[in-house]
Amino acid sequence: MISSDSIVALSSGRLPAGVAVIRISGPQSRFVVETIVGPVVKNRVAAYRKFRAPGGSVLDSGLVVFFAGPNSFTGEDIAEFYVHGGRAVVAKMLETIAGFDGVRHAELGEFTRRAFLNGKVDLVETEALADLVNAETEAQRRFAVQNAEGVQSELYLGWRRRLIHARAMIEAEIDFADEDDVPGSVAETVWSDVRAMIDEIERHVEGFRAAEIIRDGFEVVILGAPNAGKSSLFNALARREAAIVTEEPGTTRDLLEVVLDLEGMRVRVTDTAGLRETPGRIEAIGIERARSKAGTADLLLVLEDMVDPVPIGAIPADIPTLRIGTKVDLLRDESLATHYDAAISTRDGTGLVGLLAEIGHRAAAQIGEAGDILPSRLRHVELLNEAKRFLLAAVAGDERGQELRAEELRLAADRLGRIVGAVDVEDLLDVIFSQFCIGK
């Protein structure tokens, strides 16, 4: 796709900064560069120049790099100006460049959108770039880099190629069964491969929960009776006074959350209201929220004051749980601590390092092998499940005839193509590219 206009934006971080990067893409890029810095700029070679407005006044000085299309990120001519990162400098550069005919300010994700429309990246790689920009932990970064390099796309495109080949073999057997160059009895081999692909898709979809944990975080919920030490543990994990701690029961009435980075993994810890039988009306709402949150957790930390234990009633039986004994520093009979998975004291720090290590271990076990190829978006899972339904219909349709079964293969391949953007995805583009910042 050849764009009729050019776009410009600040492509680096928040101002002020030591250096700011201003990017322009489109047919006017070369003219803008030659007007601002002069004609002697080699392709893909950084050059130090003075930057001048069309009237001759000096705007700044710095590096400029020109990338001739189609060998650029967007597939168009691109230029990048590396300027001093003051707000006034950047504002004047953007104003000057946007003042050229045919140049306008970029919209959210518009550089990446042009890269997609020009075939430089597919939709899965585009989504991975958004994840890479937003990555906060090492696990998120590794996951995004792997997908940005195309391993996830290649998996889906490989399945699609297998289905296109299978459909071609079935249709060839239908239309040219008497020809010598068409292998006979291909159906058994084709349908065997399709059944194997169904199993492969099922195993891949099962990995979506691990991908959710990488992207959104491993969910840890703290439960316990009032004054069991929940908020004290929450503050110790957060390393700040995130929750109010008093001896008055029912102090915490709403859900409080903090995000931790444990060994490169994102972990979300939620403090909840103390669970008891006869709360006040407002406190009862907090308790209901606590129990609801517990039902969606990846791990429950059920705290109990070992000096004065109080039962909290039933907790979700299907959620992994660690029973934590608190206030071990006040415990006279140390043998009581053996009844718990861990014994801690937030006052002197006993057991906190081990507890953090155990939470990190549980999160890592949920994620599994870092090298696994996982579906990174819910839309991938939905389209994969649709493809699987068509494949199941195809392998179960002996009595329907080969023509209809071949059509099921076509529909399954279509769904796989939609994941990477090979077919019919126009309605998704605005949603996907809105995840980006202006200069990406």
Side-chain angles (χ1 to χ4, degrees), residues 209-225:
R209 181 58 192 140
E212 282 188 308
I213 291 174
I214 292 172
R215 295 182 69 248
D216 301 328
F218 183 74
E219 191 80 49
V220 178
V221 175
I222 304 174
L223 296 178

Side-chain angles (χ1 to χ4, degrees), residues 108-109 112 125-145 148 214-217 259 261 264 266 377 431-438 440:
L108 285 170
T112 308
E125 292 166 340
T126 295
E127 290 165 330
L129 288 174
D131 287 342
L132 191 57
V133 169
N134 295 316
E136 297 177 340
T137 67
E138 176 60 15
Q140 290 173 335
R141 184 198 65 79
R142 289 197 306 267
F143 186 52
V145 166
I214 292 172
R215 295 182 69 248
D216 301 328
V259 177
D261 185 339
R266 191 171 196 260
R377 290 289 192 283
V431 174
I432 291 173
F433 291 109
S434 66
Q435 302 173 72
F436 287 88
C437 53
I438 290 290
K440 185 60 179 172

Side-chain angles (χ1 to χ4, degrees), residues 74-111:
T74 63
E76 304 173 330
D77 286 350
I78 281 185
E80 292 181 349
F81 297 91
Y82 295 76
V83 302
H84 293 93
R87 291 188 176 89
V89 174
V90 171
K92 189 61 178 179
M93 285 289 295
L94 288 172
E95 176 189 337
T96 299
I97 296 172
F100 285 81
D101 289 341
V103 182
R104 60 176 175 80
H105 292 285
E107 299 176 358
L108 285 170
E110 194 168 2
F111 288 93

